[in-house]
Amino acid sequence: MKSVANFYSIEENHEIKLCICKFVRHLYKKDKSIIIIDSNDKLNELDRLLWSFEQNSFLPHKIYNDGDMVDTPIILLSIQNLDKLKIFNKYTSIINNYDNALLMLENDIEIYEFVDSNESNKLISRKKFLEYKKNNFILHHNKYNEQTI
C-alpha cells in the first residue's frame, strides 16, 4: 500500500477547526489512531474544541509533550516535535494542518489536508499537493461535507 494524501476543500461558511473535530470523530469511530499536526497555539485551540464541539462526544486525546507516554488514540503534535513523529508508528491517520507536506514518514499512512477558501492558504495547499505528487503519494481531492467523510 502506498501513502495517500487526501485534500478536503472547505467552503467559506465552514470553520476549519470544527471540520477537523468532526473529521477526527469520524476517524475515531472507525477505530483509527490519529495525529493532528499544527502550531502550539492552534493545538491549544483544537484541544479545547475537541472537548466541547459536541455536547455528548468524548474523544480521548492529549497534546504530546516530549517524553509523554503514547497512550491515547488521538495525539495533538506540535510542529516543534515533528522530529518525534517516528515514535508514533502505530498511528496511520495524520491530519496535517501545518504549512508543509509530510514527506519524512516511512510507513504507509493516510494524510488529511484541509483547504479553506482563503487564497493564501490555497497556495500553500497547492504547493503541498505538488510535493506529495512528486513523492509518489496517491492523491485524492473532495469538497468537505458530512457525506464525503
Side-chain angles (χ1 to χ4, degrees), residues 98-112:
Y98 174 49
D99 290 347
N100 295 329
L102 297 174
L103 303 174
M104 73 293 254
L105 302 166
E106 296 172 7
N107 295 2
D108 292 328
I109 51 152
E110 265 204 83
I111 298 173
Y112 300 93

Side-chain angles (χ1 to χ4, degrees), residues 5-148:
N6 300 286
F7 285 77
Y8 287 96
S9 293
I10 298 173
E11 295 179 17
E12 283 185 43
N13 61 340
H14 288 95
E15 167 62 41
I16 192 165
K17 291 179 201 95
L18 189 56
C19 292
I20 288 172
C21 288
K22 289 178 181 179
F23 197 78
V24 167
R25 179 188 62 209
H26 167 76
L27 291 174
Y28 178 70
K29 285 182 177 181
K30 290 183 156 191
D31 289 324
K32 302 285 185 178
S33 50
I34 307 145
I35 299 173
I36 304 171
I37 297 174
D38 212 332
S39 62
N40 279 334
D41 57 330
K42 290 181 184 174
L43 285 181
N44 286 322
E45 289 178 51
L46 267 174
D47 179 40
R48 284 189 295 279
L49 196 55
L50 281 168
W51 290 113
S52 63
F53 82 98
E54 195 172 72
Q55 191 163 3
N56 294 320
S57 180
F58 173 70
L59 297 173
H61 71 279
K62 71 177 179 183
I63 296 176
Y64 175 81
N65 291 302
D66 198 18
D68 279 357
M69 295 285 294
V70 181
D71 57 357
T72 183
I74 303 166
I75 293 283
L76 284 66
L77 186 67
S78 168
I79 56 175
Q80 285 80 13
N81 284 322
L82 274 181
D83 61 328
K84 309 281 189 301
L85 197 54
K86 292 185 182 190
I87 68 171
F88 301 101
N89 58 359
K90 72 174 186 168
Y91 289 76
T92 56
S93 298
I94 299 176
I95 296 173
N96 183 25
N97 208 31
Y98 174 49
D99 290 347
N100 295 329
L102 297 174
L103 303 174
M104 73 293 254
L105 302 166
E106 296 172 7
N107 295 2
D108 292 328
I109 51 152
E110 265 204 83
I111 298 173
Y112 300 93
E113 301 274 358
F114 289 85
V115 183
D116 69 17
S117 58
N118 175 299
E119 204 53 47
S120 64
N121 291 342
K122 283 182 183 179
L123 289 173
I124 292 168
S125 294
R126 287 180 188 120
K127 180 183 170 199
K128 290 195 286 186
F129 188 92
L130 291 173
E131 286 291 314
Y132 289 127
K133 184 176 183 176
K134 189 168 71 176
N135 284 275
N136 299 315
F137 278 68
I138 297 170
L139 298 168
H140 299 288
H141 180 259
N142 289 299
K143 288 196 180 286
Y144 176 86
N145 62 51
E146 297 291 326
Q147 288 76 39
T148 59

